[in-house]
């Protein structure tokens, strides 16, 4: 018996799997942008990605509804105690886009009647979506921010419509522009996410 049909079947399976993985990665990037208020536009097929010119126009921009506070504006001026705060309202669209991209379609986040029967008595936001604001705060440190590690502990749920704040604070200078930071997400007086991160701050390229 010839092995050619079997080889063709394996190749077809590999191609289908690779396509699904590629599309999933594109959707994840799209959802991250959408979750932070960045519009996306349709392309051919079912996947949508931002147009190149839109991405360039949005790079480094703070959108309406975001509040940002930074205590240092140059990486050589950073010291222990320097902070960044990033505040954003989590919307219904954020939750839906995040569920679509991540594949986390847990009914607790999407199905109101179901969620009302749980200990939370209603829908809550994905924990990793709330924790994503930490990345937004770190991205506003002076320099080209490279995420090296992140530890998180989830303390309280976030509800759709909550306006939450991520605060990162340098607690240790590790040398060579590497820093350890405390990371926390709060909703008023409630701690949502607690933990710490390590980042490397490279020099930003001249463009």
């Amino acid at each position: 018996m010839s092995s050619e049909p079997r080889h063709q079947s394996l190749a077809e399976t590999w191609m289908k799997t690779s396509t699904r993985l590629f599309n999933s990665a594109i959707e994840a990037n799209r959802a991250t942008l959408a979750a932070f208020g960045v519009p996306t536009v349709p392309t051919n097929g079912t996947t949508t990605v931002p147009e190149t010119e839109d991405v360039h126009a949005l790079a480094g921009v703070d959108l309406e509804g975001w509040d940002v506070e930074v205590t240092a504006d140059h990486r050589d001026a950073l010291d222990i105690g320097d902070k960044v705060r990033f505040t954003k309202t989590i919307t219904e669209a954020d939750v839906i886009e995040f569920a679509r991209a991540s594949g986390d379609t847990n009914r607790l986040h999407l199905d109101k009647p179901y969620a009302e029967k749980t200990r939370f008595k209603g829908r809550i936001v994905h924990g990793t979506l709330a924790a994503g604001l930490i990345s937004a705060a770190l991205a506003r440190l002076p320099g080209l921010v490279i995420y090296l590690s992140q530890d998180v502990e989830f303390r309280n749920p976030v509800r759709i419509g909550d306006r939450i704040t991520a605060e990162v604070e340098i607690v240790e200078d590790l040398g060579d522009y590497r820093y350890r930071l405390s990371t926390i997400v709060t909703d008023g007086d409630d701690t949502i996410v607690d933990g710490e991160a390590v980042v490397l701050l490279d020099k930003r390229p001249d463009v």
Side-chain angles (χ1 to χ4, degrees):
M1 177 183 290
S2 171
S3 63
E4 184 175 351
R6 178 172 178 271
H7 289 162
Q8 289 177 344
S9 177
L10 288 172
E12 290 173 359
T13 300
W14 180 86
M15 285 294 294
K16 289 178 181 179
T17 301
S18 298
T19 300
R20 284 196 297 268
L21 289 172
F22 176 78
N23 286 338
S24 295
I26 293 296
E27 282 295 314
N29 288 333
R30 174 176 175 261
T32 300
L33 291 170
F36 289 99
V38 178
T40 57
V41 295
T43 60
N44 293 332
T46 59
T47 301
T48 60
V49 295
E51 290 183 337
T52 302
E53 55 269 29
D54 289 340
V55 172
H56 290 168
L58 289 164
V61 173
D62 293 328
L63 299 184
E64 183 178 355
W66 297 355
D67 290 331
V68 180
E69 301 174 43
V70 185
T71 62
D73 59 4
H74 194 280
R75 69 175 188 146
D76 289 323
L78 283 172
D79 201 354
I80 292 173
D82 278 320
K83 300 178 181 180
V84 179
R85 293 187 183 92
F86 178 89
T87 302
K88 179 192 184 299
T89 301
I90 303 297
T91 68
E92 174 82 10
D94 294 340
V95 172
I96 293 172
E97 290 294 338
F98 188 85
R100 180 180 290 117
S102 67
D104 183 352
T105 55
N106 187 335
R107 294 172 69 184
L108 178 61
H109 308 305
L110 304 169
D111 186 334
K112 181 179 178 181
Y114 175 89
E116 288 174 345
K117 297 177 182 177
T118 70
R119 69 171 63 201
F120 300 102
K121 306 303 181 184
R123 293 170 60 196
I124 64 172
V125 173
H126 301 77
T128 47
L129 173 55
L133 269 69
I134 294 172
S135 180
L138 290 171
R140 284 157 175 81
L141 288 166
L144 174 61
V145 181
I146 301 173
Y147 226 143
L148 299 181
S149 68
Q150 175 75 62
D151 294 325
V152 296
E153 179 182 347
F154 297 97
R155 299 280 188 86
N156 286 293
V158 176
R159 307 286 178 175
I160 295 170
D162 284 354
R163 188 165 181 81
I164 61 178
T165 297
E167 178 177 294
V168 301
E169 179 178 352
I170 295 176
V171 296
E172 185 179 4
D173 184 343
L174 302 174
D176 295 326
Y177 295 103
R178 287 175 168 82
Y179 298 93
R180 183 169 64 88
L181 303 97
S182 63
T183 59
I184 187 170
V185 179
T186 57
D187 182 358
D189 294 330
D190 294 330
T191 296
I192 304 302
V193 180
D194 198 4
E196 67 174 32
V198 176
V199 299
L200 166 64
L201 300 181
D202 267 353
K203 184 179 180 181
R204 285 177 177 163
D206 295 327
V207 292

